[in-house]
Amino acid sequence: MLTKRIIVCMDVKKGRIVKGVHFVNLRDAGDPVKNASIYSRAGADEIVFLDITASIEKRRTIFEIVKKTAEKVFIPLTVGGGIRKLEDIRELLKSGADKVSINTAAIERPELVQEASERFGSQCIVAAIDARQKKLDSPIKSGNDQKWEVYSYGGRKATGLDAVKWAKKVEKLGAGNMKHLYDALTRGKASAVLVASIFHYGKYSVPQVKRYLKNKGIAIRLV
Amino acid sequence: MIAIIDYGMGNLRSVSKALDTLGAQVKITNKAKDIKEAAAIILPGVGAFHRAMENLTKLYILPPILRAIKEGKPFLGICLGLQLLFTESEEHGTHTGLNIVKGKVKRFSSGLKVPHMGWNQVNIKKPVPSAQKPNLFKNISDKSYFYFIHSYFVEPEDKSVILASTKYGTNFTSAIRMGNVFGTQFHPEKSGNLGLKALKNFCQCIR
């Protein structure tokens, strides 16, 4: 049986893992290569590096990290953050990434998803979506029609796009994978869950989370 | 030396690094000379079947690959590399493959989410006949999880070549062995420790 995947996501800035609630109050949680290797051994099903380094020249470090990780970690590796052009994707794949994740660039230029999946195959293009529950002006709220809005620029900019509609659109454009960051979307048919800070600070370990889900009757790979 | 064939289809670095960690000597190549000199050959690959065949043809490396297989060199096809061994594929129309293994490459039925992506169980066919040793799944227990990413699967005419099968809607062939020719639909280089074990088992065929 195909399992649900536990994907460990690490935000990387200038070569170090950082993670904060909603991308603010960044804290240092260590070396990405070392951590990727530890998570892989602990049973993570995939690793994601999200490069949040702002300046272009410092972004070169992510290629080195990807190269080093691909030498040691033998599970799928996805890299996202700041990807704008086909050339960025090509270089990341060449460095050893299995998939690249596109977020802001896909919102600003949806054709990038199509071009990328035609050139490199839809299996290696991930559309990442940061969604947040919309603040409704109306005081009437019912559980069924809560809306989720898409955010770009690392969760800083509201786009006005509806998360579910946007997800369907990018899938049509050819993104082979969807990664839904928040709980409400994972309650649908998501086949993977992306987790970050609960692991980096040792609140729960990967085996703990996996055993918990397995006991709930979810198909999970235990190592 | 193990030749990893580079024909412009997907990430070869992982395969090469995985073999490196096992202490194998590898060379990523698209040269006939290297294929001729290699002790074993690995054909990896992700992407479209017809483009892969086109690339292999353009590089003039189909004859040396076929010759190496005929000479009995251990050969491992991974994912698309497994599919290319077959007679034909229905991906983007009908296209002819290497025809080393008789059979077809088919698409998963429309009701299923494709690509079939993620960790799925490999049901190892038992018992392994002694003629099939060394065994690709040595020290790997039945129903272990391996990493898959594909939209098409192989269907060999001769069922005796099937080493393992996996369930995704249908039971499809996830590993084959025909003499010196091995193939896996899953990616051993992306399947953690068990994947490395399978690669190590393959390396043990090399004299």
Side-chain angles (χ1 to χ4, degrees):
Chain A
M1 192 174 182
L2 190 63
T3 65
K4 298 284 178 187
R5 285 165 288 151
I6 301 297
I7 299 174
V8 176
C9 179
M10 290 172 241
D11 287 359
V12 179
K13 189 177 185 183
K14 295 178 194 165
R16 299 285 294 175
I17 301 172
V18 287
K19 182 68 198 176
V21 178
H22 292 251
F23 304 104
V24 294
N25 294 327
L26 297 174
R27 286 165 66 186
D28 189 337
D31 172 38
V33 182
K34 208 168 107 193
N35 275 274
S37 174
I38 292 167
Y39 287 127
S40 165
R41 259 178 287 146
D45 295 313
E46 292 189 35
I47 300 286
V48 175
F49 287 146
L50 194 58
D51 184 19
I52 55 168
T53 310
S55 72
I56 305 284
E57 68 271 24
K58 283 178 183 135
R59 286 182 45 81
R60 301 297 310 170
T61 52
I62 194 71
F63 295 113
E64 284 311 307
I65 290 167
V66 171
K67 272 187 191 160
K68 282 188 194 139
T69 306
E71 284 169 13
K72 291 190 187 124
V73 177
F74 299 105
I75 60 171
L77 173 65
T78 302
V79 184
I83 293 165
R84 297 269 152 189
K85 312 184 291 285
L86 290 177
E87 189 50 32
D88 299 335
I89 300 173
R90 201 188 65 87
E91 192 156 359
L92 282 170
L93 295 175
K94 222 178 103 195
S95 302
D98 297 290
K99 310 176 202 179
V100 295
S101 151
I102 309 175
N103 192 334
T104 301
I107 294 165
E108 292 180 347
R109 205 170 72 81
E111 310 81 60
L112 180 67
V113 175
Q114 195 171 352
E115 288 162 16
S117 51
E118 274 169 17
R119 175 139 167 219
F120 306 106
S122 60
Q123 80 286 338
C124 62
I125 307 301
V126 179
I129 300 171
D130 285 342
R132 220 175 269 175
Q133 207 161 2
K134 232 181 192 170
K135 288 180 192 117
L136 295 176
D137 296 332
S138 150
I140 308 150
K141 284 179 197 170
S142 85
N144 289 331
D145 53 34
Q146 288 174 343
K147 291 282 180 198
W148 289 75
E149 185 177 0
V150 177
Y151 278 69
S152 60
Y153 290 94
R156 289 191 299 270
K157 190 181 162 196
T159 64
L161 293 165
D162 176 71
V164 176
K165 279 186 195 146
W166 173 239
K168 284 183 181 154
K169 184 172 177 198
V170 286
E171 196 160 29
K172 233 181 226 158
L173 287 168
N177 313 265
M178 311 297 287
K179 290 199 176 127
H180 308 298
L181 291 188
Y182 291 104
D183 169 63
L185 293 172
T186 62
R187 256 182 258 143
K189 281 187 180 170
S191 46
V193 191
L194 195 106
V195 278
S197 44
I198 63 162
F199 290 144
H200 306 325
Y201 295 108
K203 199 169 171 190
Y204 297 104
S205 68
V206 176
Q208 273 177 328
V209 168
K210 289 191 118 180
R211 211 161 294 127
Y212 168 79
L213 292 170
K214 183 141 185 131
N215 289 341
K216 291 256 173 191
I218 295 169
I220 288 287
R221 176 185 69 112
L222 296 177
V223 295
Chain B
M1 175 263 287
I2 302 173
I4 299 172
I5 300 183
D6 177 12
Y7 58 116
M9 304 297 284
N11 176 7
L12 310 176
R13 212 179 137 77
S14 314
V15 183
S16 142
K17 290 295 161 194
L19 290 160
D20 269 358
T21 56
L22 296 170
Q25 223 202 322
V26 292
K27 188 167 186 180
I28 295 178
T29 181
N30 57 17
K31 304 244 174 342
K33 184 175 164 278
D34 293 326
I35 296 169
K36 208 175 151 192
E37 284 169 6
I41 292 160
I42 295 183
L43 186 65
V46 180
F49 189 95
H50 68 284
R51 269 201 50 204
M53 284 304 289
E54 267 168 38
N55 290 3
L56 287 169
T57 309
K58 273 188 209 153
L59 290 162
Y60 301 105
I61 49 174
L62 278 178
I65 291 173
L66 293 169
R67 203 174 310 128
I69 290 175
K70 220 174 160 188
E71 282 167 4
K73 279 184 191 169
F75 179 99
L76 174 64
I78 299 172
C79 193
L80 181 60
L82 158 73
Q83 298 181 359
L84 291 167
L85 290 168
F86 280 69
T87 312
E88 61 177 40
S89 167
E90 60 174 39
E91 185 173 359
H92 303 300
T94 305
H95 296 277
T96 313
L98 300 179
N99 198 27
I100 300 286
V101 184
K102 300 263 180 275
K104 285 182 180 174
V105 184
K106 295 184 165 173
R107 192 176 164 86
F108 283 114
S109 67
S110 52
L112 291 165
K113 202 167 169 180
V114 289
H116 168 227
M117 181 180 62
W119 297 80
N120 205 339
Q121 278 170 316
V122 167
N123 304 304
I124 302 163
K125 206 160 91 177
K126 279 178 185 171
V128 178
S130 56
Q132 301 240 321
K133 280 171 184 161
N135 172 11
L136 196 62
F137 293 109
K138 194 173 101 188
N139 300 328
I140 295 172
S141 41
D142 187 25
K143 302 197 190 309
S144 290
Y145 286 98
F146 286 86
Y147 185 77
F148 290 84
I149 180 158
H150 62 123
S151 302
Y152 293 79
F153 61 92
V154 298
E155 212 174 70
E157 277 173 24
D158 175 5
K159 305 294 176 213
S160 75
V161 303
I162 299 171
L163 278 188
S165 67
T166 293
K167 195 171 178 202
Y168 188 61
T170 174
N171 274 309
F172 70 89
T173 300
S174 47
I176 63 146
R177 160 106 194 241
M178 204 178 85
N180 54 312
V181 177
F182 295 83
T184 63
Q185 186 58 68
F186 54 83
H187 287 268
E189 78 283 11
K190 287 288 152 193
S191 298
N193 267 340
L194 290 181
L196 292 180
K197 262 190 198 170
L199 286 173
K200 193 176 169 193
N201 291 336
F202 172 73
C203 290
Q204 280 170 358
C205 303
I206 305 165
R207 289 167 196 283

